[in-house]
Amino acid sequence: MAVTSDRGQMLLIGAIVLAVLFVSLSFVLNGSIQTTSVSAEASDDVSASETHALQDATRRDVAGVLRSAIQARSSVSGQRTHVQENVSQLGQRYRQYYAHQDRIVDVTWVGATDDGSDLTAVTVEIVERSSRVTYRASIEVEPGDGT
Amino acid sequence: MIRDERAATSPISYSLTIAMATILITGLVVAGSGHVSDQRSTTARAQMDVVAQQVAGNLEAADRLVRSTDSPPSTLELERQLPEQVLGSGYTVEIDDSSDRVVVSSPISDRTVTATFDVETDVVGSTVRDGRITISYDTGDDELEVTDG
């Protein structure tokens, strides 16, 4: 008793056709998805509004520290130490505040100029790092800034 | 003798089925590859457009940061991580200072993509490659320059 079993060719051919169809589709769709994702990530980091805010806030806060140091009427070296310590604390606060916004911010003391009796200007460096952009600037702050 | 011939095909119809399937698959591959090729060109141009817009946007951002106060920063650097490749191919970014345009070109596309920027600070013309770029402000010359790295 011979049993001929030839079933399956149609299933096999159908499977091959479907496989090729899906592979072709995956190529086409892959390109589209990549375009969309690259476009989406482009818009988030050309804005400088946060950096503007940081630069303005730093200028205002450092100017306040400088004014308070001058008003204390201590010696130039005393004023320098006062500003240096407060800039360091400011940097720490900025770092904590901006850490919540996925940004690393450093505000550090660079130097100061004086006229013999008082400090006239303080230079600080601001560094702001986000996932794709790093902003680095040195700004010179005078006592009258931000008033 | 029991013959189980359900869903079985004769040699001729089997050959015909194979031939039709081959034609169908060939047609699909030819049509699909053309479509994929078009899609790749479109994707490459779209990505190059994104890069051009990013560079132009960052140039404008640097310009705004320089001009935002009466006393501009003593030094300013804006480092930007651009995509390393566009669809597996490198690219170049040219800053055309005469027409205030960013021109992106790549071997993968026969066409260049441009984006215009609107800045008040002077911009130095330069050409940089894919990857990390730096936009720096020169206080002395009051100029913005785009460099590699």
Side-chain angles (χ1 to χ4, degrees):
Chain A
M1 187 171 68
V3 176
T4 311
S5 182
D6 293 337
R7 291 175 295 177
Q9 296 99 323
M10 291 303 289
L11 284 175
L12 189 65
I13 291 162
I16 290 170
V17 171
L18 280 174
V20 171
L21 192 68
F22 285 138
V23 169
S24 307
L25 266 177
S26 73
F27 273 118
V28 174
L29 290 178
N30 192 31
S32 311
I33 291 164
Q34 204 173 2
T35 311
T36 313
S37 63
V38 170
S39 303
E41 72 187 24
S43 59
D44 65 343
D45 45 17
V46 292
S47 166
S49 56
E50 286 287 339
T51 312
H52 258 287
L54 172 65
Q55 190 172 293
D56 287 347
T58 307
R59 190 178 287 278
R60 191 181 56 240
D61 290 345
V62 173
V65 168
L66 183 55
R67 280 197 300 274
S68 72
I70 293 169
Q71 279 164 7
R73 297 196 175 279
S74 59
S75 63
V76 170
S77 64
Q79 290 176 17
R80 197 179 293 265
T81 310
H82 177 84
V83 174
Q84 213 163 347
E85 284 171 357
N86 280 281
V87 165
S88 170
Q89 283 179 12
L90 265 180
Q92 224 160 3
R93 285 188 191 153
Y94 279 133
R95 200 160 34 245
Q96 286 165 358
Y97 176 74
Y98 281 95
H100 296 294
Q101 301 176 22
D102 294 334
R103 288 165 192 266
I104 301 168
V105 168
D106 273 320
V107 176
T108 49
W109 160 278
V110 175
T113 54
D114 62 83
D115 60 3
S117 56
D118 286 321
L119 293 182
T120 52
V122 172
T123 305
V124 292
E125 186 184 56
I126 308 169
V127 180
E128 181 194 8
R129 291 188 184 88
S130 58
S131 58
R132 287 178 176 268
V133 179
T134 301
Y135 160 76
R136 185 177 288 112
S138 295
I139 58 168
E140 195 178 70
V141 184
E142 293 176 356
D145 285 351
T147 52
Chain B
M1 185 175 85
I2 298 168
R3 280 183 63 85
D4 184 0
E5 293 183 343
R6 288 175 299 168
T9 56
S10 68
I12 292 174
S13 66
Y14 182 63
S15 305
L16 281 172
T17 309
I18 293 283
M20 283 191 291
T22 310
I23 291 167
L24 182 62
I25 290 169
T26 310
L28 268 174
V29 170
V30 169
S33 63
H35 188 69
V36 168
S37 177
D38 288 348
Q39 189 66 37
R40 275 178 68 83
S41 299
T42 309
T43 304
R45 279 199 298 279
Q47 289 197 6
M48 287 158 66
D49 190 42
V50 168
V51 169
Q53 296 289 350
Q54 282 177 337
V55 175
N58 283 127
L59 264 172
E60 290 178 352
D63 176 58
R64 285 196 299 275
L65 287 168
V66 167
R67 293 188 296 107
S68 63
T69 55
D70 292 336
S71 50
S74 323
T75 61
L76 185 140
E77 280 183 4
L78 204 63
E79 287 174 22
R80 165 86 217 188
Q81 183 62 51
L82 294 173
E84 295 288 341
Q85 293 179 324
V86 169
L87 285 186
S89 181
Y91 59 90
T92 54
V93 179
E94 183 195 347
I95 311 298
D96 186 352
D97 56 331
S98 58
S99 60
D100 285 353
R101 290 188 312 166
V102 176
V103 183
V104 179
S105 53
S106 170
I108 202 164
S109 175
D110 49 358
R111 282 195 276 174
T112 58
V113 174
T114 61
T116 54
F117 55 85
D118 186 9
V119 293
E120 287 189 14
T121 313
D122 287 341
V123 176
V124 180
S126 59
T127 302
V128 293
R129 289 198 56 76
D130 43 66
R132 184 170 283 274
I133 62 163
T134 302
I135 300 169
S136 49
Y137 172 65
D138 185 333
T139 319
D141 296 332
D142 192 25
E143 284 176 337
L144 287 168
E145 185 175 13
V146 182
T147 51
D148 279 310

